[in-house]
Amino acid sequence: YLAREAERIGAKRAFIVCSETVAQTSDLLERTQEVLGPAYVGAFTKAKRESPVTLVEAGVEAAKAAQPDLIVAVGGGSAVVTARAIIILLGEGVRVEDLYTRHVPGQPPIVARLSKPKLPLILVLTTPTTAADRGGAAVWDETPPHRKELYDPRTRPLATILDGEALLTAPLSLYMDTSLTTFAGLVGAIQAHRPSPLALADVQMGLELCVEHLPGLAARPEDPEVRIHLATAALLSNRASQSTYGGGGRGRSTGGLGRQLRYRYKHIGQGSAACITALMQLRLNRDVNMEGQARLAAALGVDTRGMGLEDAAASAEGALVEFLATLDVATRLREMGVLREDFVLLAEAEVSEPGFGEDERRITDAAELVRIMELAW
């Protein structure tokens, strides 16, 4: 498929972006080179979690030297986001500092309007990622704001390839974490207020695939079909998020705390952080989002027939905790190794960090965030 897609767009010089893990612990880089044949002109193998700016800019220099007409991202979300950031910076000829989205309190985000041509992108995924079909890239910078977003819709992939052998190269722990990220996102998405029917169908199917196949991933880690199903769930979640879905769930959002947990505790993955914040939001918003939480309960297998709306909504938290327990996923901050003395630091970091794409639901009161973490302790 990769060779056919490259030929279809007339690519003659393909440059690969992947992580050191993909390059050093699997034969996937070599296999991709072989498929590309004489079109292969080089690789950047330093893609890393959170896509640090320094590595992205090193990737830009490597791509400049190779002079490609196609970028192939091989890996999971880190490779995909890094490749997209490289494409934006390479096309514009400037640094992250000149392009990232500015957030001014009380004003809409100030997004740079980019007009220069961009290289085409093809994805060969090794893990589920909801970052696949997007037009932006969030990179991490040591200089605040740490999360810097770049946006250009022309960086959406021309093709996304799900290959069983490629998906099997990811370690079980990584594949589980990225699958949990998908699952947590779908848990939030199914609670949306007045969702569009088409997007809701994607969300429900994605959640069904997660509920069915996440236990199978733990039991049969070498089964490529299980991995393909979970990667498909991520693509469905990604597609639903690109539609006019319904403005998210009612109530307040604690999603940014998951980001701060990942930044401060390197052992906490995106999936486990997303699951714990999904539980926080369930507890926080039950009274104002009963309809959405009742929909979630039914999707998690609760027989809500004959239940009142309040009881159906209340059953969602227990069902989610029970499901996560079958996967040995922490449902309390103390189980994740988070220290209570860090709550204030985490809350203040979240309040000071701009939230890209987040609306008025985002909690920006540090004391309130500390209280929520206490309830999740």
Side-chain angles (χ1 to χ4, degrees):
Y1 294 108
L2 175 58
R4 186 174 67 191
E5 289 299 312
E7 182 180 0
R8 179 177 65 84
I9 64 173
K12 304 296 183 183
R13 299 181 63 81
F15 183 80
I16 296 173
V17 175
C18 67
S19 67
E20 287 183 343
T21 301
V22 166
Q24 297 177 6
T25 66
S26 76
D27 65 351
L28 188 53
L29 177 58
E30 288 77 10
R31 286 179 55 210
T32 308
Q33 293 174 4
E34 183 179 348
V35 168
L36 290 169
Y40 170 73
V41 295
F44 177 70
T45 62
K46 302 292 186 181
K48 190 176 179 181
R49 171 180 166 176
E50 308 297 349
S51 299
V53 168
T54 53
L55 292 183
V56 169
E57 292 180 341
V60 171
E61 295 305 313
K64 282 181 182 178
Q67 297 183 325
D69 58 9
L70 168 67
I71 301 292
V72 180
V74 180
S78 297
V80 172
V81 173
T82 299
R84 200 149 47 221
I86 288 172
I87 289 172
I88 291 174
L89 297 181
L90 190 64
E92 294 297 319
V94 296
R95 297 168 62 86
V96 169
E97 192 65 28
D98 302 311
L99 292 181
Y100 78 89
T101 300
R102 263 65 176 183
H103 295 267
V104 180
Q107 298 182 24
I110 303 172
V111 182
R113 295 185 178 275
L114 309 183
S115 58
K116 295 183 179 179
K118 301 297 182 297
L119 293 177
L121 173 65
I122 294 177
L123 311 181
V124 179
L125 297 182
T126 60
T127 66
T129 174
T130 57
D133 186 19
R134 296 188 182 274
V139 299
W140 190 88
D141 193 358
E142 290 186 359
T143 303
H146 298 298
R147 178 182 165 91
K148 290 182 167 69
E149 307 90 18
L150 311 173
Y151 179 72
D152 191 324
R154 285 166 294 188
T155 60
R156 293 183 184 280
L158 296 181
T160 299
I161 298 171
L162 299 182
D163 173 78
E165 289 187 35
L167 295 171
L168 282 171
T169 63
L172 174 59
S173 59
L174 174 61
Y175 211 94
M176 178 63 77
D177 189 68
T178 53
S179 297
L180 287 171
T181 302
T182 296
F183 173 69
L186 290 165
V187 163
I190 202 168
Q191 299 175 60
H193 180 53
R194 296 181 180 176
S196 73
L198 292 177
L200 181 58
D202 279 347
V203 170
Q204 289 177 323
M205 187 69 249
L207 198 51
E208 182 178 324
L209 288 171
C210 287
V211 170
E212 179 179 355
H213 294 290
L214 271 169
L217 178 63
R220 304 187 306 280
E222 300 305 315
D223 186 342
E225 291 299 314
V226 169
R227 296 198 178 208
I228 288 174
H229 284 306
L230 290 170
T232 301
L235 295 181
L236 288 169
S237 176
N238 194 169
R239 184 168 72 173
S241 70
Q242 303 300 300
S243 70
T244 307
Y245 188 59
R250 286 177 167 174
R252 293 171 292 171
S253 171
T254 59
L257 280 176
R259 186 166 57 234
Q260 300 307 326
L261 288 171
R262 302 196 319 266
Y263 290 170
R264 187 161 188 84
Y265 296 93
K266 299 305 181 184
H267 69 278
I268 295 179
Q270 185 173 1
S272 53
C275 287
I276 203 88
T277 53
L279 279 166
M280 289 180 190
Q281 289 188 194
L282 275 179
R283 300 177 187 121
L284 187 64
N285 296 320
R286 182 172 302 149
D287 291 345
V288 296
N289 196 21
M290 289 186 185
E291 183 178 341
Q293 294 197 15
R295 195 184 304 128
L296 170 62
L300 292 175
V302 177
D303 186 356
T304 58
R305 293 174 298 178
M307 283 188 183
L309 183 60
E310 186 174 353
D311 289 338
S315 68
E317 181 184 344
L320 181 55
V321 169
E322 182 178 349
F323 179 71
L324 293 175
T326 66
L327 303 173
D328 292 324
V329 176
T331 57
R332 288 284 170 181
L333 289 174
R334 60 178 176 270
E335 297 170 1
M336 302 173 74
V338 177
L339 304 177
R340 292 181 75 179
E341 52 263 39
D342 286 345
F343 285 1
V344 172
L345 293 174
L346 289 164
E348 290 177 346
E350 168 54 17
V351 169
S352 65
E353 192 79 7
F356 181 64
E358 297 170 0
D359 55 23
E360 66 278 0
R361 298 175 60 233
R362 180 187 178 208
I363 299 173
T364 56
D365 180 86
E368 177 69 358
L369 290 172
V370 170
R371 186 187 71 84
I372 292 167
M373 284 186 279
E374 289 285 357
L375 293 175
W377 173 252

